[in-house]
Amino acid sequence: MDSRHLVTFKTIARLASFTKASEELSYSQSTLTIHIQAIEKELNGKVFDRIGKNIIITDLGNELLSIADVILKAYEKIEMLKNGEISNESIIRLGAQESVAFYRLQPIIDQFQKDYPQTKIIQVLGQKAELTDKLLTAEIDLMLVMQRQYENANLIAIELVEEKMGIVVKSQKLHSLDDLKNESFVFVYPKNDCSYRNVFDKYFGNCLGARINTIEALSIEAIKHSVLLNDGVSILPYSTVKREIESGEMNFFALDLSSEDRISTQLIYHKNKWFSPLVREFVKLIENQMPRTASSTDIQVSQ
C-alpha cells in the first residue's frame, strides 16, 4: 500500500462511486480496482462492499478512513525529507543559559517564527552542566551558552560572538580599579558553576583578601539587583548590562582578558545529531544573525 492507494480509497469513499472517482483522478477503473485490492490485501479484509450499483464502506473501511489523513500527512513529510524540503510544522528544543536566552537569542527566535509560523520552539533554561547532559541524551537539539573554549569529544561548538567582559558597579561608585580595595564594596559572586566564575576569581582575587562582605547570586538578574541595591561590584558580559549602562545606572570597566579566559557565546550540538531541514535553517539563522545583532548593540565602553 502506498499513498496513491490511500488517495484512491478516500476519493471512492467520498464519492461513493468507482466511476466518479475514475473521472476525478484520471485513472482507469481497473487501476482503481488494483489500488483497492492492494489495500484489502494489506489489511486482510474488505474496505468496500459492492451491493448492486452501490458502494458501501465497511467498518474496516471506516477505521482506515479515520486515520487516512494522518497516514498521508506522514507520507508527505517523508517525501519532503527525501527531497530536502522544509516543513514548518515541527518542534525545535533549544537549551540556553539565561544570559544568552534573555540578551542574545530572542530577536532571532522572533525572526524565525515569522518565517516559519507553525514551528514550535521550546526553550529549556539552565546552566552548562545541566544542558550538556540534556544534549548528550537528546532531550534538546541545540545548546547556546556563554563560556570559554569548549572541548568535548562528542559535541561540536561554534563560536558566534566574543563577549565583552567587564567590572560593573553602581554609577559613580567606582572611578578607578584601585577603588576596589575600599571596604564598602560588596563583591557579588556568580554561581560556582557559572561559565565566568573563574574570571571573577582571577581578576578580583587580589582585592578580596579576607573580607566577609560578599554575596553569591544565583542569576544575572540577581547579580544586577545586588550591585544596584548593595553598592555591589561584579563581573558580567556587557550584553547583559547594556540597558543599565546606557541609562546611567551602572558603570562598566572593560577587562582585557587573556586568550584562555575569553568568553564567547557558542552554539553546541551533538556530532552525531541528524538535523531536519528546518533545524538546519534555524542554525543558519543563528550563525548569520547573532554576530550582526551583537555588533549592532555592543558599543565602545570606557576602560
Side-chain angles (χ1 to χ4, degrees):
M1 173 169 33
D2 64 27
S3 59
R4 293 174 305 155
H5 300 160
L6 283 172
V7 171
T8 294
F9 165 72
K10 283 187 59 183
T11 306
I12 295 170
R14 174 168 54 84
L15 298 174
S17 168
F18 272 69
T19 301
K20 292 178 182 179
S22 174
E23 294 171 356
E24 182 171 309
L25 297 173
S26 298
Y27 286 152
S28 67
Q29 290 198 38
S30 60
T31 299
L32 299 190
T33 300
I34 291 171
H35 288 182
I36 298 304
Q37 286 175 344
I39 291 174
E40 292 177 337
K41 182 178 180 181
E42 184 81 16
L43 298 180
N44 195 30
K46 293 287 186 180
V47 294
F48 293 119
D49 282 329
R50 297 163 182 81
I51 303 175
K53 294 184 179 181
N54 297 321
I55 301 297
I56 308 297
I57 192 168
T58 65
D59 290 341
L60 179 61
N62 277 317
E63 288 291 327
L64 178 59
L65 191 60
S66 69
I67 61 172
D69 286 333
V70 175
I71 298 171
L72 286 170
K73 193 69 175 178
Y75 272 117
E76 287 178 18
K77 290 186 176 181
I78 291 170
E79 288 301 314
M80 293 178 78
L81 292 176
K82 284 166 57 179
N83 297 327
E85 298 174 15
I86 294 173
S87 168
N88 64 355
E89 296 180 4
S90 186
I91 296 175
I92 298 175
R93 294 175 175 82
L94 180 66
Q97 286 175 322
E98 170 197 290
S99 50
V100 181
F102 291 173
Y103 305 106
R104 290 286 191 208
L105 192 55
Q106 197 55 50
I108 296 172
I109 291 177
D110 291 344
Q111 178 60 53
F112 190 77
Q113 292 192 308
K114 285 180 183 178
D115 295 337
Y116 303 100
Q118 301 304 316
T119 302
K120 183 177 181 180
I121 296 179
I122 298 175
Q123 291 191 69
V124 179
L125 300 185
Q127 290 301 317
K128 182 180 71 173
E130 175 190 3
L131 294 175
T132 299
D133 287 343
K134 291 182 181 297
L135 197 62
L136 291 170
T137 56
E139 293 178 59
I140 56 177
D141 303 307
L142 304 166
M143 176 172 85
L144 282 137
V145 294
M146 289 183 185
Q147 60 183 9
R148 292 184 294 170
Q149 185 174 1
Y150 193 68
E151 293 184 3
N152 185 304
N154 293 311
L155 302 178
I156 294 174
I158 300 172
E159 291 194 9
L160 301 169
V161 180
E162 184 175 329
E163 297 293 337
K164 189 176 298 183
M165 303 295 295
I167 297 169
V168 292
V169 292
K170 192 173 181 178
S171 184
Q172 306 304 318
K173 288 295 182 178
L174 184 68
H175 302 286
S176 75
L177 298 186
D178 288 337
D179 294 342
L180 288 173
K181 297 175 183 177
N182 187 324
E183 292 290 330
S184 67
F185 280 112
V186 177
F187 283 78
V188 185
Y189 283 79
K191 286 172 50 175
N192 244 337
D193 58 354
C194 176
S195 299
Y196 37 85
R197 174 63 179 262
N198 68 298
V199 175
F200 185 99
D201 292 337
K202 183 173 181 177
Y203 285 85
F204 280 164
N206 293 333
C207 304
L208 292 174
R211 78 172 68 204
I212 59 174
N213 197 10
T214 63
I215 296 173
E216 182 172 276
L218 299 181
S219 69
I220 285 178
E221 290 303 309
I223 291 174
K224 289 160 64 173
H225 284 302
S226 292
V227 166
L228 292 173
L229 295 176
N230 300 297
D231 286 342
V233 58
S234 192
I235 291 178
L236 287 173
Y238 177 77
S239 60
T240 67
V241 291
K242 178 179 181 291
R243 183 183 63 80
E244 289 79 7
I245 301 304
E246 291 181 344
S247 69
E249 295 176 85
M250 285 185 181
N251 280 352
F252 184 93
F253 293 80
L255 294 172
D256 184 16
L257 301 182
S258 61
S259 58
E260 66 269 18
D261 289 330
R262 286 175 185 161
I263 302 294
S264 63
T265 293
Q266 299 174 28
L267 172 66
I268 301 172
Y269 56 89
H270 198 286
K271 67 177 184 179
N272 296 326
K273 176 69 176 178
W274 178 84
F275 285 160
S276 68
L278 187 73
V279 175
R280 289 201 296 270
E281 285 297 309
F282 186 52
V283 169
K284 189 186 302 182
L285 184 67
I286 292 172
E287 290 182 289
N288 289 338
Q289 293 300 320
M290 191 168 288
R292 293 180 189 176
T293 302
S295 62
S296 66
T297 56
D298 288 356
I299 61 172
Q300 187 65 36
V301 292
S302 59
Q303 300 285 336

